[in-house]
Amino acid sequence: MTENQKHGLELSIDSSSQRPLKIGKTTDQVFHGDEEEAETMNPKPGIQRYLVAVEYIGTRFSGSQQQPNCRTVVGALEEAFQKFIGQPVSVFCSSRTDAGVHALSNVCHVDVERISKRKPGEVLPPHEPGVVHKAVNHFLQKHEGDVTVVDVRSVPNDFHARYKAQERTYFYRLVSGPEALSSFEKDRAWHVPETLNIGAMQEACKVLVGHHDFSSFRAAGCQANSPIRTLDELNVCEVASTPYFPTSMERKQRQGKEESENEEPHSETCEVGFGIRRRHRCFVVTARARSFLYHQVRLMVGVLKAVGTGDLTVGDERILEAKNVSSARPMAPACGLYLGHVKYDLPPAPH
């Protein structure tokens, strides 16, 4: 690649000749209280509100939010709850995710009224959270099994999963190497055949952290009132590839306690036996903030990847100053994105 082919991170692109990215109807942006008023919800007496954390593989979902004639995370949860309690419910998510985006923990709230099956109309005391946890998982696992409840908590009736969220953490997985992507990684990570320079990517992260106008990382169709966001954390680190199984040398080292703390790990570039896959290098980008713009994380990862491959160089903050999504690099695909954690101010769980 010649120097003329490389572009600096500082490059400001004329937005008049560029078209914004086209997007679908689903969104992965998140909202908080200053963007739109929370809907008024006044559950009837006897109704218990539960905060429900769920994990899911997003590959076969058309996003998290309910959509006509589409399989969604909310739709799967509402169906499981209805089978459990015998009446329809509405599930409200803290964060919306696009088709193909996964979640280690997305949080929802749902209102449940426990009605006696023997005496219709008689309202019974609410179920314990542990009962809700096991029962809903029972019905979820009887079908596709790609969404699972990981935690349940009883909360006050005015507690809103979206508006009470204090911060959200996303992870993005990239695997680097010329070998074909492992079947076990299909739809779970972005495969980048080129070598990635993690040092350059880490320097680019420093440019983006902080309080900025993120218009350059805001896809068309974003519903947020303002592009101003505070990015509390953005970093990239190398982790073990998954699924991880120790090599014969690693097993011998551990059994014999031959590997000291300062010893270099076994090189993955050395010769491997026939039929043994050569491992990819695996990188995880972490982004943490109270809220994000539509496609902000995937657009930032697209820029970090371009820096890592050398197609973009780290200069100054003028990519932010361009304030147009066309100045960013192609957006990272949905398959590598994971909603990792939604933080709340909750009292300690009862024992």
Side-chain angles (χ1 to χ4, degrees):
M1 178 180 298
T2 66
E3 288 299 316
N4 291 334
Q5 290 174 304
K6 294 185 178 181
H7 304 279
L9 188 60
E10 71 276 13
L11 183 62
S12 178
I13 299 181
D14 181 7
S15 62
S16 63
S17 61
Q18 302 289 336
R19 298 181 62 187
L21 296 177
K22 294 183 178 180
I23 59 173
K25 294 183 179 179
T26 61
T27 95
D28 66 352
Q29 70 190 95
V30 296
F31 302 91
H32 51 83
D34 63 356
E35 292 174 359
E36 59 181 76
E37 294 184 0
E39 61 267 31
T40 57
M41 301 185 65
N42 298 306
K44 296 184 297 182
I47 290 182
Q48 175 64 58
R49 178 164 294 187
Y50 296 98
L51 201 61
V52 182
V54 295
E55 65 179 13
Y56 50 85
I57 299 169
T59 307
R60 289 182 290 177
F61 287 111
S62 297
S64 60
Q65 294 302 102
Q66 189 72 277
Q67 301 174 59
N69 305 316
C70 292
R71 183 169 183 262
T72 65
V73 175
V74 164
L77 288 170
E78 290 180 347
E79 181 181 350
F81 267 98
Q82 182 169 357
K83 290 180 178 178
F84 167 41
I85 65 173
Q87 54 187 326
V89 300
S90 295
V91 172
F92 298 87
C93 278
S94 67
S95 307
R96 303 174 183 178
T97 57
D98 271 347
V101 175
H102 316 293
L104 304 177
S105 181
N106 197 350
V107 180
C108 318
H109 76 252
V110 59
D111 294 325
V112 173
E113 185 178 32
R114 185 184 178 190
I115 304 295
S116 173
K117 295 181 180 179
R118 294 182 179 180
K119 298 179 180 180
E122 180 182 353
V123 178
L124 301 176
H127 291 288
E128 290 296 321
V131 173
V132 177
H133 189 160
K134 292 180 180 178
V136 175
N137 269 343
H138 169 74
F139 291 108
L140 288 171
Q141 299 308 311
K142 287 183 70 174
H143 295 281
E144 299 292 338
D146 47 3
V147 55
T148 303
V149 173
V150 297
D151 208 353
V152 178
R153 181 81 68 90
S154 298
V155 293
N157 286 343
D158 62 350
F159 192 100
H160 198 288
R162 181 193 301 176
Y163 302 111
K164 290 290 187 179
Q166 295 181 332
E167 74 177 20
R168 295 158 172 93
T169 301
Y170 281 89
F171 301 112
Y172 196 98
R173 298 185 66 245
L174 305 98
V175 293
S176 170
E179 296 81 8
L181 184 66
S182 167
S183 299
F184 296 103
E185 290 281 18
K186 180 176 172 57
D187 298 321
R188 305 288 197 278
W190 183 11
H191 179 214
V192 179
E194 302 95 332
T195 299
L196 292 175
N197 182 339
I198 188 172
M201 295 170 72
Q202 289 169 338
E203 288 301 311
C205 288
K206 297 176 183 178
V207 175
L208 298 174
V209 168
H211 188 71
H212 303 293
D213 181 338
F214 281 99
S215 294
S216 295
F217 300 93
R218 180 188 193 185
C222 180
Q223 298 174 10
N225 293 331
S226 170
I228 306 298
R229 288 292 182 273
T230 299
L231 185 59
D232 297 307
E233 178 184 0
L234 185 67
N235 66 63
V236 57
C237 61
E238 186 168 4
V239 299
S241 58
T242 57
Y244 173 79
F245 302 103
T247 65
S248 59
M249 180 175 291
E250 289 169 334
R251 295 195 301 271
K252 291 177 182 177
Q253 288 175 335
R254 290 173 183 175
Q255 290 172 359
K257 297 182 179 180
E258 298 172 359
E259 185 176 13
S260 67
E261 291 184 357
N262 298 323
E263 187 176 351
E264 290 295 323
H266 174 57
S267 172
E268 301 198 5
T269 60
C270 66
E271 190 66 28
V272 296
F274 175 76
I276 299 177
R277 166 180 282 278
R278 192 180 301 278
R279 298 173 186 166
H280 287 99
R281 296 181 68 186
C282 184
F283 301 90
V284 173
V285 176
T286 301
R288 180 172 54 86
R290 184 183 179 191
S291 65
F292 295 86
L293 302 169
Y294 182 36
H295 285 164
Q296 180 181 346
V297 176
R298 290 166 60 188
L299 286 164
M300 291 191 300
V301 172
V303 166
L304 294 179
K305 179 262 184 183
V307 170
T309 57
D311 293 331
L312 197 65
T313 57
V314 181
D316 57 32
E317 300 181 6
R318 287 174 57 192
I319 191 167
L320 285 167
E321 295 171 1
K323 295 182 176 57
N324 188 283
V325 70
S326 300
S327 64
R329 286 290 151 153
M331 184 169 64
C335 61
L337 184 61
Y338 295 73
L339 174 57
H341 182 243
V342 184
K343 180 181 177 181
Y344 297 94
D345 182 14
L346 292 171
H351 296 290

